[in-house]
């Protein structure tokens, strides 16, 4: 995953505070995704982007927003963090076609 | 709706033995791709194997092979000669439209020495 960097790797934050997670890619992939991973739920799509400034909602988008001002960066913002947003967040990229995703190493977010 | 079902939340296998992880999916699409990803304790998601739905031949990658039954919408993963490093969470997924992925809930595999 040398081409995808997520930051921070770990974060603890308080309920009600805004949080931004960053995904940076050097793959020049068109598509970028944010997932959350929770036990018993697998990976659930939060938001995705199919180009600069082109984003759309996934199945669990409530409470999250995203921005993509450059091809290489995809930001996920929790406007007002809640304990239910404690999770591991993964960024993934894809060039499209049949080769699947390239994943970042994940961010473990704890909301206390 | 697109769904992926992994009915085995946890499995274990003795080192050097063979284990099969099951996966079923549901889609009305005719053109799609199937994947198995491995997530070791390091948390990194690693692609294990992929299969094109239009190919009848089952994909194989070293000790990993799949049994793809398109009519039954089944895509199981067989791990031969299991090794301690195979201990991980395994996710089944399929992709349609070139960029829309759907994941199962995962199977936690433990290889016992």
């Amino acid at each position: 995953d040398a081409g995808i960097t997520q930051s921070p790797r770990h974060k603890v934050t308080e309920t009600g505070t805004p949080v931004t997670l960053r995904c940076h890619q050097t793959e020049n992939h068109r598509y970028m995704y944010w997932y959350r991973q929770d036990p018993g739920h697998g990976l659930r799509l939060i938001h995705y982007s199919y180009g600069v400034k082109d984003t759309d909602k996934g199945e669990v988008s409530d409470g999250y927003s995203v921005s993509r001002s450059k091809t290489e960066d995809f930001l996920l913002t929790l406007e007002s963090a809640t304990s239910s947003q404690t999770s591991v967040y993964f960024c993934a990229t894809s060039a499209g076609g049949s080769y699947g995703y390239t994943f970042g190493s994940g961010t473990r977010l704890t909301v206390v | 709706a697109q769904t992926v079902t992994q009915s085995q939340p946890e499995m274990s296998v003795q080192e050097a033995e063979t284990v099969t992880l099951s996966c079923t999916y549901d889609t009305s699409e005719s053109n799609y791709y199937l994947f198995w990803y491995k997530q070791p304790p390091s948390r990194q998601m690693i692609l294990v194997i992929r299969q094109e739905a239009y190919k009848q031949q089952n994909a194989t990658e070293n000790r990993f092979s799949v049994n793809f039954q398109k009519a039954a919408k089944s895509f199981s993963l067989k791990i031969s000669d299991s090794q301690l490093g195979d201990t991980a969470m395994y996710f089944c997924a399929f992709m349609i439209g070139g960029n829309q992925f759907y994941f199962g809930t995962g199977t936690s595999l433990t290889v016992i020495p």
Side-chain angles (χ1 to χ4, degrees):
Chain A
D1 75 332
I4 300 176
T5 305
Q6 287 187 236
S7 59
R9 185 155 172 82
H10 304 275
K11 184 173 182 65
V12 179
T13 192
E14 292 185 350
T15 298
T17 60
V19 177
T20 295
L21 308 183
R22 181 175 182 250
C23 178
H24 177 79
Q25 61 145 330
T26 58
E27 308 282 341
N28 200 32
H29 285 171
R30 175 183 177 185
Y31 302 98
M32 298 186 75
Y33 309 82
W34 278 107
Y35 283 87
R36 60 178 290 173
Q37 183 182 9
D38 305 287
H41 291 277
L43 283 86
R44 292 182 291 174
L45 182 64
I46 304 171
H47 281 280
Y48 63 99
S49 169
Y50 37 94
V52 173
K53 296 185 180 178
D54 284 328
T55 64
D56 208 345
K57 296 179 179 180
E59 64 176 301
V60 291
S61 59
D62 287 348
Y64 302 94
S65 62
V66 290
S67 66
R68 192 173 180 195
S69 59
K70 299 186 291 185
T71 298
E72 55 267 34
D73 290 327
F74 193 34
L75 304 180
L76 175 70
T77 297
L78 289 65
E79 304 290 347
S80 177
T82 68
S83 58
S84 65
Q85 294 176 311
T86 292
S87 186
V88 177
Y89 291 86
F90 282 96
C91 175
T93 71
S94 169
S98 64
Y99 291 95
Y101 283 174
T102 301
F103 283 91
S105 55
T107 294
R108 180 176 294 280
L109 176 68
T110 302
V111 183
V112 297
Chain B
Q2 328 289 344
T3 60
V4 180
T5 301
Q6 294 180 249
S7 60
Q8 305 151 313
E10 296 181 353
M11 296 188 71
S12 61
V13 62
Q14 293 284 7
E15 194 175 7
E17 297 295 306
T18 295
V19 64
T20 299
L21 281 59
S22 66
C23 173
T24 59
Y25 60 94
D26 191 20
T27 181
S28 58
E29 300 288 331
S30 58
N31 187 25
Y32 51 90
Y33 298 86
L34 296 153
F35 302 84
W36 278 97
Y37 282 90
K38 169 185 177 181
Q39 186 182 40
S42 68
R43 205 167 71 198
Q44 183 63 51
M45 294 284 284
I46 302 165
L47 177 64
V48 175
I49 200 165
R50 61 186 284 273
Q51 171 83 42
E52 295 95 334
Y54 61 86
K55 286 188 176 179
Q56 291 186 343
Q57 184 175 4
N58 290 322
T60 299
E61 290 287 344
N62 300 314
R63 298 183 294 107
F64 298 88
S65 62
V66 298
N67 183 6
F68 174 46
Q69 303 289 330
K70 189 172 184 178
K73 295 181 180 176
S74 172
F75 183 60
S76 60
L77 175 69
K78 186 173 79 171
I79 306 174
S80 304
D81 185 25
S82 296
Q83 300 175 0
L84 297 179
D86 295 333
T87 291
M89 182 74 80
Y90 288 82
F91 291 98
C92 175
F94 75 90
M95 180 182 73
I96 59 174
N99 61 77
Q100 293 290 331
F101 259 72
Y102 299 88
F103 288 90
T105 53
T107 296
S108 177
L109 176 68
T110 300
V111 179
I112 302 167

